[in-house]
């Protein structure tokens, strides 16, 4: 949940422990948590998975698909930059 912090700015508020998370928190589409530990505790207490999704639900399937696409894009971009760096190093060795 987004909540006003002491600086009168909106910040992520942990749905489990009640602390302000800041940018380092863990988020799902419906909940914010300050750590993976709070996310697991919330799931264990409510019988859900991945921070509030019912196991096998459409929302959980969409969440997993989006997470997989995000990881693929990150690896693709990272591989591209590593490849460019290797090509630059090889080109500089043969000049």
């Amino acid at each position: 949940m987004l909540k006003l912090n002491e600086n009168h700015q909106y910040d992520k508020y942990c749905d489990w422990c009640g602390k302000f998370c800041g940018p380092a928190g863990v988020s799902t589409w419906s909940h914010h948590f300050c750590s993976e530990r709070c996310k697991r505790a919330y799931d264990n207490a409510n019988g859900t998975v991945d921070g509030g999704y019912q196991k096998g639900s459409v929302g959980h399937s969409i969440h997993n698909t989006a997470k997989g696409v995000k990881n693929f894009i990150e690896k693709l971009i990272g591989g591209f930059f590593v490849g460019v760096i290797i090509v630059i190093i090889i080109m500089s060795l043969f000049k």
Side-chain angles (χ1 to χ4, degrees), residues 12-85:
K12 293 178 183 174
Y13 185 75
C14 184
D15 288 334
W16 180 250
C17 69
K19 293 189 290 186
F20 285 104
C21 306
V26 179
S27 294
T28 64
W29 286 352
S30 57
H31 297 286
H32 299 288
F33 303 100
C34 59
S35 66
E36 285 288 332
R37 183 178 178 188
C38 284
K39 185 172 117 176
R40 281 192 308 273
Y42 180 88
D43 286 336
N44 289 338
N46 294 307
T48 57
V49 292
D50 281 339
Y53 298 105
Q54 295 298 323
K55 188 172 185 170
S57 68
V58 174
H60 188 232
S61 299
I62 292 170
H63 172 75
N64 285 340
T65 302
K67 193 171 18 173
V69 169
K70 176 185 165 226
N71 289 339
F72 174 75
I73 290 172
E74 286 174 351
K75 288 178 184 177
L76 186 68
I77 291 172
F80 174 76
F81 284 122
V82 168
V84 167
I85 291 171

